[in-house]
Amino acid sequence: MTGPHPAEIDTSTPHPARMYDWYLGGKDNYPVDESMGRQMLALDPRVPVMARVNRAFMHRSVTWLAQHGVRQFLDVGTGIPTEPNLHQIAQRIVPDARVVYCDNDPIVLAHAEALLRGTDEGVTQYLQADVRDPDAIVEGAREVLDLDRPVALSLIALLHFVPDEDGAHELVSRLLSELPSGSYLVMTHATADFTPEESEVAAGKLRAAGVTLALRSREEFTRFFDGLELVEPGVRVPHQWHPELGDPVPGQDDGVIPGYGAVGRKP
Ligand SMILES: C[S@@+](CC[C@H](N)C(=O)[O-])C[C@H]1O[C@@H](n2cnc3c(N)ncnc32)[C@H](O)[C@@H]1O
Protein backbone atom coordinates (compact mmCIF):
# COMPACT_ATOMS: atom_id res chain seq x y z
CA MET A 1 0.00 0.00 0.00
CA THR A 2 1.27 3.48 -0.77
CA GLY A 3 0.24 6.67 0.98
CA PRO A 4 -1.59 9.45 -0.81
CA HIS A 5 0.31 12.24 -2.44
CA PRO A 6 -0.02 15.29 -0.14
CA ALA A 7 -1.69 17.11 -3.03
CA GLU A 8 -4.57 14.60 -2.79
CA ILE A 9 -5.51 15.96 0.64
CA ASP A 10 -7.80 18.88 -0.07
CA THR A 11 -7.45 21.40 2.73
CA SER A 12 -9.65 24.00 1.04
CA THR A 13 -12.98 22.40 2.01
CA PRO A 14 -14.09 20.63 5.21
CA HIS A 15 -14.10 16.84 5.14
CA PRO A 16 -16.37 14.63 7.29
CA ALA A 17 -13.51 12.38 8.49
CA ARG A 18 -11.44 15.37 9.63
CA MET A 19 -14.38 17.23 11.25
CA TYR A 20 -15.24 14.04 13.14
CA ASP A 21 -11.62 13.77 14.23
CA TRP A 22 -11.83 17.35 15.51
CA TYR A 23 -15.05 16.60 17.45
CA LEU A 24 -13.30 13.62 19.03
CA GLY A 25 -10.34 15.76 20.09
CA GLY A 26 -7.93 14.35 17.45
CA LYS A 27 -5.09 16.19 15.74
CA ASP A 28 -5.56 15.01 12.16
CA ASN A 29 -7.66 17.93 10.94
CA TYR A 30 -7.09 21.29 9.22
CA PRO A 31 -8.28 24.84 9.99
CA VAL A 32 -11.08 24.49 7.45
CA ASP A 33 -12.42 21.44 9.36
CA GLU A 34 -12.14 23.15 12.73
CA SER A 35 -13.87 26.25 11.37
CA MET A 36 -16.85 24.23 10.10
CA GLY A 37 -16.80 22.15 13.30
CA ARG A 38 -17.09 25.36 15.33
CA GLN A 39 -20.06 26.45 13.20
CA MET A 40 -21.76 23.13 13.97
CA LEU A 41 -20.99 23.60 17.67
CA ALA A 42 -22.51 27.07 17.60
CA LEU A 43 -25.72 25.47 16.32
CA ASP A 44 -25.57 22.64 18.83
CA PRO A 45 -22.87 22.44 21.51
CA ARG A 46 -23.58 18.73 21.94
CA VAL A 47 -21.97 17.72 18.64
CA PRO A 48 -18.83 16.29 20.35
CA VAL A 49 -21.06 14.25 22.66
CA MET A 50 -22.87 12.92 19.60
CA ALA A 51 -19.55 11.89 18.04
CA ARG A 52 -18.55 10.05 21.23
CA VAL A 53 -21.96 8.40 21.53
CA ASN A 54 -21.60 7.18 17.97
CA ARG A 55 -18.11 5.83 18.62
CA ALA A 56 -19.36 4.12 21.80
CA PHE A 57 -22.13 2.46 19.76
CA MET A 58 -19.40 1.01 17.52
CA HIS A 59 -17.59 -0.34 20.61
CA ARG A 60 -20.72 -1.99 22.02
CA SER A 61 -22.10 -3.36 18.76
CA VAL A 62 -18.74 -4.91 17.80
CA THR A 63 -18.46 -6.36 21.32
CA TRP A 64 -21.93 -7.87 20.93
CA LEU A 65 -21.08 -9.30 17.49
CA ALA A 66 -17.78 -10.79 18.63
CA GLN A 67 -19.52 -12.29 21.66
CA HIS A 68 -22.05 -13.83 19.27
CA GLY A 69 -19.39 -15.57 17.20
CA VAL A 70 -18.71 -13.08 14.38
CA ARG A 71 -15.08 -13.37 13.28
CA GLN A 72 -15.09 -11.23 10.12
CA PHE A 73 -15.80 -7.51 9.78
CA LEU A 74 -16.11 -5.22 6.77
CA ASP A 75 -16.10 -1.63 8.02
CA VAL A 76 -16.89 0.99 5.38
CA GLY A 77 -16.48 4.68 6.28
CA THR A 78 -13.86 3.84 8.90
CA GLY A 79 -12.67 7.35 9.68
CA ILE A 80 -9.30 8.50 10.99
CA PRO A 81 -8.05 5.93 13.52
CA THR A 82 -9.22 6.63 17.10
CA GLU A 83 -8.36 4.06 19.74
CA PRO A 84 -9.85 1.66 20.40
CA ASN A 85 -10.43 0.92 16.72
CA LEU A 86 -12.88 -1.73 15.57
CA HIS A 87 -10.28 -4.48 15.14
CA GLN A 88 -8.94 -3.89 18.65
CA ILE A 89 -12.41 -4.37 20.14
CA ALA A 90 -13.12 -7.47 18.05
CA GLN A 91 -9.69 -9.07 18.52
CA ARG A 92 -9.85 -8.65 22.31
CA ILE A 93 -12.73 -11.11 22.22
CA VAL A 94 -11.86 -13.07 19.07
CA PRO A 95 -8.07 -12.84 18.61
CA ASP A 96 -8.19 -14.29 15.09
CA ALA A 97 -10.84 -11.83 13.86
CA ARG A 98 -10.29 -10.61 10.30
CA VAL A 99 -11.12 -6.98 9.55
CA VAL A 100 -11.23 -5.03 6.30
CA TYR A 101 -11.40 -1.26 6.69
CA CYS A 102 -12.50 1.00 3.87
CA ASP A 103 -12.84 4.75 3.40
CA ASN A 104 -12.77 7.08 0.39
CA ASP A 105 -10.83 9.91 2.04
CA PRO A 106 -7.06 10.00 1.39
CA ILE A 107 -6.47 11.32 4.93
CA VAL A 108 -7.67 7.98 6.29
CA LEU A 109 -5.30 6.13 3.97
CA ALA A 110 -2.49 8.37 5.26
CA HIS A 111 -3.19 7.09 8.79
CA ALA A 112 -4.13 3.53 7.87
CA GLU A 113 -0.97 2.08 9.40
CA ALA A 114 -2.59 2.44 12.84
CA LEU A 115 -5.44 0.26 11.60
CA LEU A 116 -3.11 -2.51 10.54
CA ARG A 117 -1.53 -3.29 13.91
CA GLY A 118 -3.61 -6.13 15.27
CA THR A 119 -3.10 -9.50 16.91
CA ASP A 120 -0.70 -12.05 15.39
CA GLU A 121 -3.60 -14.45 14.86
CA GLY A 122 -5.92 -11.92 13.26
CA VAL A 123 -5.71 -9.97 10.02
CA THR A 124 -6.48 -6.34 9.25
CA GLN A 125 -6.39 -4.73 5.85
CA TYR A 126 -7.20 -1.28 4.51
CA LEU A 127 -8.88 -0.56 1.22
CA GLN A 128 -9.33 2.88 -0.26
CA ALA A 129 -12.72 2.79 -1.97
CA ASP A 130 -16.02 4.59 -2.14
CA VAL A 131 -19.19 2.97 -0.81
CA ARG A 132 -20.78 4.02 -4.11
CA ASP A 133 -18.53 1.44 -5.78
CA PRO A 134 -19.68 -1.74 -3.98
CA ASP A 135 -18.06 -4.03 -6.57
CA ALA A 136 -14.60 -2.62 -5.74
CA ILE A 137 -15.30 -3.10 -2.03
CA VAL A 138 -16.45 -6.69 -2.46
CA GLU A 139 -13.48 -7.50 -4.69
CA GLY A 140 -11.02 -6.02 -2.18
CA ALA A 141 -12.73 -7.60 0.83
CA ARG A 142 -12.66 -11.03 -0.80
CA GLU A 143 -8.85 -11.00 -0.66
CA VAL A 144 -8.98 -11.04 3.15
CA LEU A 145 -12.42 -12.30 4.14
CA ASP A 146 -14.06 -15.63 3.37
CA LEU A 147 -17.35 -14.44 1.89
CA ASP A 148 -18.86 -17.91 2.34
CA ARG A 149 -18.78 -17.33 6.09
CA PRO A 150 -20.65 -14.65 8.07
CA VAL A 151 -19.37 -11.10 7.92
CA ALA A 152 -20.51 -8.06 9.89
CA LEU A 153 -20.88 -5.15 7.50
CA SER A 154 -20.52 -1.95 9.51
CA LEU A 155 -21.64 1.35 8.01
CA ILE A 156 -21.34 3.55 11.05
CA ALA A 157 -22.10 7.25 10.63
CA LEU A 158 -21.55 6.82 6.89
CA LEU A 159 -24.78 6.73 4.93
CA HIS A 160 -25.97 10.22 5.85
CA PHE A 161 -23.19 11.30 3.46
CA VAL A 162 -24.82 9.34 0.64
CA PRO A 163 -27.99 10.89 -0.84
CA ASP A 164 -30.87 8.92 -2.32
CA GLU A 165 -29.75 10.02 -5.81
CA ASP A 166 -26.65 7.90 -5.25
CA GLY A 167 -28.83 4.91 -4.34
CA ALA A 168 -28.00 4.62 -0.64
CA HIS A 169 -30.48 1.80 0.04
CA GLU A 170 -29.55 -0.10 -3.12
CA LEU A 171 -25.84 0.10 -2.23
CA VAL A 172 -26.49 -1.54 1.13
CA SER A 173 -28.61 -4.27 -0.49
CA ARG A 174 -25.89 -4.87 -3.06
CA LEU A 175 -23.19 -5.26 -0.39
CA LEU A 176 -25.42 -7.54 1.71
CA SER A 177 -26.25 -9.66 -1.34
CA GLU A 178 -22.59 -10.77 -1.41
CA LEU A 179 -22.67 -11.91 2.23
CA PRO A 180 -24.02 -15.28 3.41
CA SER A 181 -26.76 -16.11 5.88
CA GLY A 182 -25.69 -15.30 9.44
CA SER A 183 -24.04 -12.03 8.36
CA TYR A 184 -24.95 -8.77 10.03
CA LEU A 185 -25.57 -5.13 9.12
CA VAL A 186 -24.47 -2.60 11.77
CA MET A 187 -25.45 1.02 11.27
CA THR A 188 -25.82 4.42 12.81
CA HIS A 189 -27.27 7.37 10.94
CA ALA A 190 -28.11 11.03 11.62
CA THR A 191 -31.74 12.12 11.58
CA ALA A 192 -33.73 15.35 11.62
CA ASP A 193 -36.65 13.62 13.41
CA PHE A 194 -35.97 15.20 16.80
CA THR A 195 -34.66 18.65 15.86
CA PRO A 196 -35.96 19.42 12.35
CA GLU A 197 -35.13 23.12 12.25
CA GLU A 198 -31.62 22.92 13.73
CA SER A 199 -30.81 19.90 11.57
CA GLU A 200 -31.91 21.71 8.41
CA VAL A 201 -29.71 24.72 9.24
CA ALA A 202 -26.73 22.42 9.93
CA ALA A 203 -27.30 20.45 6.70
CA GLY A 204 -27.57 23.72 4.76
CA LYS A 205 -24.26 25.02 6.11
CA LEU A 206 -22.53 21.76 5.28
CA ARG A 207 -24.09 21.69 1.83
CA ALA A 208 -22.82 25.20 1.14
CA ALA A 209 -19.34 23.97 2.05
CA GLY A 210 -19.61 20.98 -0.28
CA VAL A 211 -20.55 18.28 2.27
CA THR A 212 -23.76 16.35 1.57
CA LEU A 213 -25.86 15.50 4.60
CA ALA A 214 -28.81 13.24 3.85
CA LEU A 215 -30.71 13.14 7.13
CA ARG A 216 -33.16 10.23 7.21
CA SER A 217 -36.27 9.50 9.23
CA ARG A 218 -36.68 6.47 11.46
CA GLU A 219 -38.66 4.77 8.70
CA GLU A 220 -36.01 5.48 6.05
CA PHE A 221 -33.30 4.23 8.42
CA THR A 222 -35.26 1.07 9.23
CA ARG A 223 -35.65 0.37 5.51
CA PHE A 224 -31.89 -0.33 5.31
CA PHE A 225 -32.70 -3.45 7.36
CA ASP A 226 -35.41 -4.79 5.02
CA GLY A 227 -35.09 -8.57 4.77
CA LEU A 228 -32.95 -8.75 7.94
CA GLU A 229 -33.92 -9.76 11.48
CA LEU A 230 -33.37 -6.81 13.79
CA VAL A 231 -31.36 -7.75 16.86
CA GLU A 232 -33.09 -6.73 20.12
CA PRO A 233 -33.78 -3.97 21.09
CA GLY A 234 -34.25 -2.95 17.43
CA VAL A 235 -33.84 0.62 16.18
CA ARG A 236 -32.78 2.91 19.01
CA VAL A 237 -31.08 6.21 19.64
CA PRO A 238 -27.46 4.92 19.58
CA HIS A 239 -26.68 5.12 23.31
CA GLN A 240 -29.82 3.15 24.12
CA TRP A 241 -28.68 0.11 22.15
CA HIS A 242 -27.32 -2.44 24.67
CA PRO A 243 -26.01 0.18 27.10
CA GLU A 244 -24.90 -2.58 29.49
CA LEU A 245 -22.03 -3.47 27.11
CA GLY A 246 -20.05 -0.28 27.72
CA ASP A 247 -19.65 2.81 29.84
CA PRO A 248 -22.02 5.75 29.36
CA VAL A 249 -20.67 8.79 27.51
CA PRO A 250 -20.68 11.84 29.82
CA GLY A 251 -23.57 14.11 28.81
CA GLN A 252 -25.38 11.53 26.65
CA ASP A 253 -28.63 11.96 28.60
CA ASP A 254 -28.55 15.76 28.80
CA GLY A 255 -30.48 16.32 25.56
CA VAL A 256 -31.36 14.81 22.22
CA ILE A 257 -28.91 12.64 20.27
CA PRO A 258 -30.31 13.05 16.75
CA GLY A 259 -29.48 9.64 15.34
CA TYR A 260 -30.45 6.00 15.13
CA GLY A 261 -28.47 2.80 15.56
CA ALA A 262 -29.34 -0.82 14.93
CA VAL A 263 -27.95 -4.25 14.13
CA GLY A 264 -29.68 -6.72 11.83
CA ARG A 265 -28.97 -10.38 10.97
CA LYS A 266 -29.30 -11.85 7.51
CA PRO A 267 -31.52 -14.94 7.82
C1 LIG B 1 -18.35 10.50 10.66
S1 LIG B 1 -17.06 9.52 10.04
C2 LIG B 1 -17.41 7.99 10.87
C3 LIG B 1 -16.17 7.17 11.20
C4 LIG B 1 -16.44 5.84 11.90
N1 LIG B 1 -17.27 4.98 11.09
C5 LIG B 1 -17.09 6.05 13.23
O1 LIG B 1 -18.32 5.91 13.30
O2 LIG B 1 -16.41 6.33 14.20
C6 LIG B 1 -17.60 9.19 8.38
C7 LIG B 1 -16.56 8.53 7.51
O3 LIG B 1 -17.17 8.14 6.27
C8 LIG B 1 -16.28 8.43 5.22
N2 LIG B 1 -17.04 8.56 3.97
C9 LIG B 1 -17.90 9.56 3.61
N3 LIG B 1 -18.40 9.33 2.40
C10 LIG B 1 -17.87 8.16 1.97
C11 LIG B 1 -18.03 7.38 0.79
N4 LIG B 1 -18.81 7.80 -0.21
N5 LIG B 1 -17.33 6.22 0.68
C12 LIG B 1 -16.53 5.80 1.68
N6 LIG B 1 -16.34 6.49 2.83
C13 LIG B 1 -17.01 7.66 2.98
C14 LIG B 1 -15.60 9.71 5.65
O4 LIG B 1 -14.37 9.90 4.95
C15 LIG B 1 -15.42 9.47 7.13
O5 LIG B 1 -14.19 8.86 7.41
Side-chain angles (χ1 to χ4, degrees):
M1 182 175 22
T2 54
H5 189 274
E8 284 178 37
I9 295 178
D10 176 3
T11 59
S12 67
T13 57
H15 276 214
R18 299 176 336 215
M19 287 175 64
Y20 188 69
D21 177 71
W22 185 75
Y23 298 143
L24 290 173
K27 303 248 175 301
D28 301 308
N29 49 77
Y30 294 87
V32 69
D33 308 307
E34 178 173 343
S35 163
M36 183 51 76
R38 286 193 188 283
Q39 291 185 53
M40 293 297 116
L41 240 63
L43 290 172
D44 188 340
R46 288 170 40 79
V47 173
V49 176
M50 294 170 200
R52 291 199 173 90
V53 162
N54 180 68
R55 199 74 196 160
F57 172 91
M58 184 276 276
H59 299 169
R60 296 194 313 280
S61 55
V62 171
T63 298
W64 188 94
L65 290 159
Q67 288 174 344
H68 284 76
V70 178
R71 313 178 91 84
Q72 305 194 96
F73 295 82
L74 173 55
D75 179 57
V76 187
T78 296
I80 294 167
T82 304
E83 298 220 342
N85 293 294
L86 187 153
H87 71 284
Q88 293 165 315
I89 309 243
Q91 290 177 348
R92 254 180 228 159
I93 301 163
V94 183
D96 64 352
R98 304 173 82 83
V99 178
V100 173
Y101 288 115
C102 172
D103 204 287
N104 71 343
D105 194 320
I107 190 102
V108 181
L109 175 61
H111 293 279
E113 209 187 305
L115 299 169
L116 305 179
R117 288 194 293 263
T119 53
D120 290 341
E121 306 94 305
V123 178
T124 60
Q125 188 54 274
Y126 181 78
L127 185 66
Q128 178 152 15
D130 196 296
V131 70
R132 290 166 294 190
D133 187 359
D135 292 346
I137 294 177
V138 169
E139 200 181 309
R142 206 184 285 286
E143 289 177 19
V144 174
L145 307 179
D146 176 354
L147 299 190
D148 292 326
R149 303 182 62 189
V151 174
L153 170 66
S154 60
L155 308 174
I156 301 188
L158 167 68
L159 284 165
H160 44 238
F161 298 116
V162 181
D164 287 348
E165 305 87 90
D166 288 349
H169 287 86
E170 293 75 11
L171 291 167
V172 175
S173 303
R174 168 81 188 92
L175 287 168
L176 284 171
S177 72
E178 293 289 336
L179 306 180
S181 164
S183 293
Y184 288 89
L185 172 65
V186 189
M187 272 186 70
T188 59
H189 198 296
T191 185
D193 283 359
F194 309 116
T195 51
E197 281 161 31
E198 293 87 332
S199 300
E200 196 35 62
V201 176
K205 277 188 184 291
L206 287 168
R207 220 174 4 253
V211 179
T212 304
L213 197 59
L215 299 164
R216 292 192 170 90
S217 66
R218 183 188 177 97
E219 193 219 322
E220 289 166 323
F221 174 76
T222 307
R223 203 148 56 75
F224 285 112
F225 292 85
D226 277 0
L228 306 182
E229 298 156 351
L230 279 172
V231 168
E232 286 298 325
V235 173
R236 285 287 183 278
V237 172
H239 61 287
Q240 289 169 358
W241 194 91
H242 284 285
E244 76 285 0
L245 293 176
D247 295 327
V249 171
Q252 68 181 23
D253 295 312
D254 296 348
V256 170
I257 299 287
Y260 293 116
V263 175
R265 182 180 181 279
K266 185 168 175 176

